[in-house]
């Protein structure tokens, strides 16, 4: 397979379609927002996005921290993990396993976001997983799968089990490992992770208080599932399109370097 050379200036914008460039900008913004919210884990987690109109995807260059990632520095690979454009960086092999697994079977998914936050890992280590104790948890529980820990995700045989555990869910809790969201847009996927993370933060804090917890009534949970299913089938998606412009305004005030 031929690989398009990238000049040393990494002037990628001139080498890709307008649609791919916009995806690169939004994905780089997503990395920066994850860092800004304190959800990063040095260089060891990952976010990917499909290149529009293809089965290829973009993922972080292994070795850069999330606050350093730019639209140009993202690495483009095919489903076999082969780089499609020259880059001085490789990709995280565990990241490839997880993200290719999702992109192989979920053609409705444009973006996959995976984190190792303290609260996320803490809840993932609890046998009951996410508890229905907050409004945020209702959104997560409406579309949540669980995947058992199998060690660092380097064994490609794990992909089939991960795919089965994810099913058609938007949220996946990787036991003893962390959180994963996947959505139809980068904006929705980020908003889903914001909700997932907040639900875990609330759960850990509520448990730490030592008081008896009040579970949300099953009929309310069932109603929430129906509501979210209806919302996600509409043009509004998860609501990311409403929040994303505001998030970019916040990010641009902090550092607009992701756009390069």
């Amino acid at each position: 397979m031929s690989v398009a050379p990238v000049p040393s200036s990494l002037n990628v914008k001139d080498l890709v379609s307008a649609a791919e460039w916009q995806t690169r900008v939004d994905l780089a913004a997503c990395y920066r927002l994850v860092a800004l919210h304190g959800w990063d884990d040095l260089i060891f987690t990952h976010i990917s996005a499909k290149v529009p109109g293809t089965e290829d995807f973009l993922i972080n260059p292994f070795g850069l921290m999330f606050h350093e990632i730019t639209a140009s520095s993202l690495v483009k690979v095919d489903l076999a993990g082969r780089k499609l454009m020259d880059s001085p960086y490789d990709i995280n092999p565990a990241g490839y396993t997880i993200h290719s697994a999702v992109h192989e079977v979920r053609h409705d998914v444009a973006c996959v976001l995976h984190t190792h936050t303290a609260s996320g890992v803490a809840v993932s280590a609890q046998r009951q997983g996410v508890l229905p104790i907050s409004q945020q948890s209702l959104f997560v529980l409406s579309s949540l799968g669980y995947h058992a820990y199998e060690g660092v995700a380097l064994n490609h045989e794990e992909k089939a089990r991960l795919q089965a555990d994810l099913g058609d869910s938007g949220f996946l809790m990787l036991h003893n490992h962390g959180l994963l969201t996947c959505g139809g847009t980068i904006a929705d996927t980020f908003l889903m992770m914001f909700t997932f993370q907040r639900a875990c933060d609330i759960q850990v804090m509520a448990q730490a208080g030592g008081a008896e917890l009040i579970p949300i009534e099953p009929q309310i949970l069932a109603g929430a599932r129906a509501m979210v299913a209806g919302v996600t089938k509409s043009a509004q998606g998860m609501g990311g399109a409403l929040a994303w412009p505001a998030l970019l305004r916040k990010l641009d005030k902090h550092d607009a370097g992701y756009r390069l």
Side-chain angles (χ1 to χ4, degrees), residues 132 138 141-142 215-228:
L138 294 186
L141 289 166
S142 70
I216 293 171
E217 295 294 334
Q219 64 269 25
I220 297 177
L221 176 57
R225 285 181 172 141
M227 177 195 69
V228 173

Side-chain angles (χ1 to χ4, degrees), residues 161-174:
R161 293 182 289 276
L162 191 149
Q163 291 164 344
D165 291 335
L166 175 65
D168 61 0
S169 300
F171 301 86
L172 184 67
M173 179 158 276
L174 305 168

Side-chain angles (χ1 to χ4, degrees), residues 172-192:
L172 184 67
M173 179 158 276
L174 305 168
H175 280 305
N176 312 104
H177 186 173
L179 310 180
L180 183 147
T181 57
C182 56
T185 66
I186 293 170
D188 275 350
T189 306
F190 178 85
L191 184 60
M192 292 162 72

